Amino acid sequence: EQIMLGRYSPGERIREQEIADQLDVSRGPVREALRVLEQRGLVEIVPWRGARVVTLTAHELNEVLQIRGALFTLMARLAAVHATEEEIDALEHAVDELDSIAHRNVTMPEFLRKRYDAADLLMAASHNQTAWELQRTLVKRTQGYYTATSQASQELRMESVVLYRQLVEALRLRQPVAAEDVAQDRKSVV
């Protein structure tokens, strides 16, 4: 979570003892957690040097964002077909919360957390577990970069809200092509 929220920057070293002290645990569980994060592509462990947050090149980041966008579009289309009314209601509630904080002067990480919550609900509503898991992995891999570099203006925040409202409407009307079109227009919404 600290990596995704930008607490640790790309390339920054993660000190096991510091984390262990923060969490009041021994270094063993921290070391194991770092191995899991390495498998997920978030950190790299260098022998005799420790762990550091993975640094993606601009090209690698662009490739991951392209795949994220394509998966998001696919899942929007699938959600319009498979989402239950309860899932659509939950997504609409999340968009209402996003709208509420978009009007307040909240930090970028707080706004992005709410936006990711809405995206996660949409992905779950697609009922495609494989795509959802892939998307979550890719989001985790790039979220720290986005949080660290994003300076979304009030206008861009409101654009996110509008596009998510359009997605909710397409899901309610069971219009997969419309949901796909909105998702493709989303720019930096995911």
Side-chain angles (χ1 to χ4, degrees):
E1 183 176 297
Q2 290 183 15
I3 291 170
M4 291 185 296
L5 294 176
R7 160 70 175 83
Y8 290 100
S9 302
E12 185 174 346
R13 185 169 176 230
I14 300 175
R15 294 170 176 29
E16 285 181 16
Q17 190 60 55
E18 182 180 304
I19 301 295
D21 292 345
Q22 285 176 0
L23 301 175
D24 197 28
V25 298
S26 69
R27 288 176 64 175
V30 173
R31 194 172 297 120
E32 185 59 34
L34 288 171
R35 285 188 192 111
V36 170
L37 292 174
E38 182 180 40
Q39 291 171 345
R40 293 182 181 169
L42 292 172
V43 301
E44 60 184 347
I45 299 174
V46 180
W48 309 108
R49 294 200 177 181
R52 72 179 66 253
V53 178
V54 170
T55 302
L56 296 176
T57 67
H59 178 74
E60 291 167 330
L61 182 60
N62 187 49
E63 285 181 344
V64 172
L65 292 175
Q66 286 174 351
I67 295 167
R68 278 182 54 191
L71 280 172
F72 187 79
T73 300
L74 169 66
M75 288 186 288
R77 181 182 186 90
L78 292 173
V81 175
H82 300 293
T84 66
E85 288 301 318
E86 292 80 16
E87 289 169 327
I88 297 170
D89 290 345
L91 177 59
E92 186 170 33
H93 179 71
V95 174
D96 290 343
E97 288 180 1
L98 185 65
D99 191 8
S100 174
I101 69 164
H103 285 91
R104 296 192 319 248
N105 190 21
V106 298
T107 64
M108 193 61 194
E110 185 178 351
F111 177 77
L112 289 175
R113 248 192 318 274
K114 287 292 185 186
R115 198 172 73 182
Y116 284 122
D117 288 347
D120 204 47
L121 289 169
L122 177 73
M123 292 183 289
S126 75
H127 292 259
N128 185 317
Q129 189 67 32
T130 303
W132 188 17
E133 289 171 9
L134 284 170
Q135 184 76 325
R136 280 181 146 178
T137 299
L138 295 173
V139 165
K140 288 176 183 176
R141 189 159 183 212
T142 57
Q143 190 173 8
Y145 283 87
Y146 194 80
T147 302
T149 61
S150 184
Q151 301 294 323
S153 66
Q154 185 66 23
E155 182 180 323
L156 289 174
R157 290 179 187 207
M158 294 313 300
E159 183 180 318
S160 289
V161 172
V162 168
L163 289 173
Y164 270 103
R165 288 210 185 281
Q166 291 171 346
L167 281 170
V168 168
E169 183 67 18
L171 269 56
R172 285 219 185 275
L173 296 173
R174 303 294 178 187
Q175 295 178 334
V177 174
E180 185 177 54
D181 289 346
V182 170
Q184 285 177 342
D185 288 342
R186 86 205 176 300
K187 296 177 185 144
S188 62
V189 172
V190 266

